[in-house]
Amino acid sequence: HEYPRLGTMTRASIIVVEHGTVRHLAGCLEALFATELPADHFEVIVLDNASPTPIGSGLRARFPSVRWLEAKRNLGFAGGCAAAYRHARGDVVASVNPDCEVHHGWLGAILEPFASDPRVGVVGGKLLHPGGRVLQHAGGRLFSNGRSEHIGEGELDAGQHDAVRDVDYVCGAGFA
């Protein structure tokens, strides 16, 4: 897909909030930069959320195009996202947990609903457990009694949840 750019803004800003998960960060960033879209269609911002395991200079040098930010204190996940969002230049902002490794076509797939339907406000991705065959989350349902469930949780992924559809909620581990 060809995604238009608005002025000089990048198409997407991808936020990664790191706190105590630095051992996963290189894999996450490698996967993000392996996307099918050209590098000028997205930016990656990593916020070190006052992590007890600080991000070293070697990792920063390995990913020079990342915008590295540091919080002076732990802002929590939502506060860390909000702090990083203030630096985002994209017209779509995505958030990915540092222990997630996105698939090659993830960014294009998560941007497509925004490009094709102006009513779209939030898009989530399908999450797989480590190893990539068992579903963790393919959207969520809320029931009138207050109960909720992850769609597809525990199922072997055979593409049964690949179609775009409306859901009640998405998981914060990977959404835009």
Side-chain angles (χ1 to χ4, degrees):
H1 293 290
E2 183 76 24
Y3 294 96
R5 293 179 58 178
L6 302 177
T8 59
M9 293 188 340
T10 56
R11 177 68 177 122
S13 295
I14 305 168
I15 306 293
V16 180
V17 176
E18 198 290 309
H19 183 83
T21 55
V22 74
R23 68 188 178 281
H24 300 291
L25 191 54
C28 175
L29 294 174
E30 286 169 1
L32 289 173
F33 285 110
T35 183
E36 78 285 16
L37 297 181
D40 67 344
H41 279 64
F42 67 97
E43 67 177 346
V44 176
I45 301 169
V46 174
L47 175 81
D48 181 336
N49 203 11
S51 179
T53 53
I55 300 166
S57 59
L59 191 59
R60 292 172 191 256
R62 186 170 160 195
F63 297 97
S65 63
V66 168
R67 292 183 40 218
W68 300 96
L69 306 174
E70 292 184 28
K72 296 192 185 313
R73 63 180 177 83
N74 183 349
L75 304 169
F77 178 71
C81 286
Y85 287 172
R86 287 193 283 277
H87 297 272
R89 297 181 294 220
D91 55 304
V92 173
V93 179
S95 178
V96 175
N97 280 2
D99 61 348
C100 288
E101 292 183 18
V102 298
H103 285 261
H104 176 73
W106 171 81
L107 186 55
I110 210 160
L111 292 176
E112 176 60 32
F114 293 107
S116 64
D117 186 346
R119 298 171 299 156
V120 170
V122 175
V123 175
K126 181 170 66 173
L127 300 176
L128 303 170
H129 286 287
R133 303 223 39 232
V134 177
L135 288 165
Q136 179 180 356
H137 177 87
R141 286 190 201 115
L142 296 174
F143 298 94
S144 60
N145 65 1
R147 191 175 69 82
S148 67
E149 73 177 10
H150 290 305
I151 297 169
E153 184 175 21
E155 296 175 13
L156 190 61
D157 181 27
Q160 71 271 33
H161 298 290
D162 286 356
V164 175
R165 66 169 173 234
D166 288 340
V167 294
D168 295 329
Y169 67 92
V170 299
C171 184
F175 73 100

